Amino acid sequence: MDLKLTESTESERALLGAALLRDGVIDDAGEYLLPADFKNQRYGDLWALMLAVRADGKKAKAALLRAEGANLDTVAEVQNAVASALGFEAYVNRINGGRHARARRFSNGCF
């Protein structure tokens, strides 16, 4: 029997979202989870890219992943799921390094 480590695309998306927020997730899960273990092929491809980026000693952030050839729709899908789970303002605050006022302006449409 072929055991898949992930059971749903929601859990896959959650893992990828956590990896976008914290590189340690990639370092820890990368020892056990292979791209082929993903039910959703696009998520497996993104995971493979995250692993490669980390192997090069870089941080697996969305902009770098896009520059490295990640599927733009897949990255956006994962980012949107994280933003929904955390709340948009908390998500923007997190990726801005804690600059809360800037996050509030962004979430209010004041760029």
Side-chain angles (χ1 to χ4, degrees):
M1 176 168 76
D2 183 27
L3 176 65
K4 291 286 190 182
L5 295 178
T6 57
E7 292 297 324
S8 74
T9 57
E10 287 179 4
S11 62
E12 293 174 352
R13 194 170 42 240
L15 173 75
L16 294 171
L20 282 176
L21 293 175
R22 228 182 97 238
D23 289 314
V25 171
I26 301 167
D27 300 336
D28 294 340
E31 296 181 34
Y32 308 101
L33 185 62
L34 301 173
D37 292 324
F38 283 79
K39 182 177 179 179
N40 183 315
Q41 180 65 46
R42 293 181 304 126
Y43 292 165
D45 292 344
L46 182 58
W47 183 247
L49 185 57
M50 288 177 157
L51 292 173
V53 164
R54 288 300 293 152
D56 287 343
K58 300 174 188 169
K59 293 187 175 287
K61 300 302 174 198
L64 176 62
L65 294 170
R66 287 185 192 110
E68 295 285 331
N71 180 300
L72 300 179
D73 291 337
T74 303
V75 175
E77 190 176 309
V78 169
Q79 286 181 302
N80 288 339
V82 172
S84 294
L86 290 177
F88 185 75
E89 188 172 327
Y91 173 66
V92 173
N93 189 40
R94 176 80 181 234
I95 63 175
N96 277 329
R99 294 182 291 276
H100 186 72
R102 185 173 176 191
R104 191 175 310 117
R105 283 195 314 270
F106 185 79
S107 67
N108 290 331
C110 303
F111 303 97

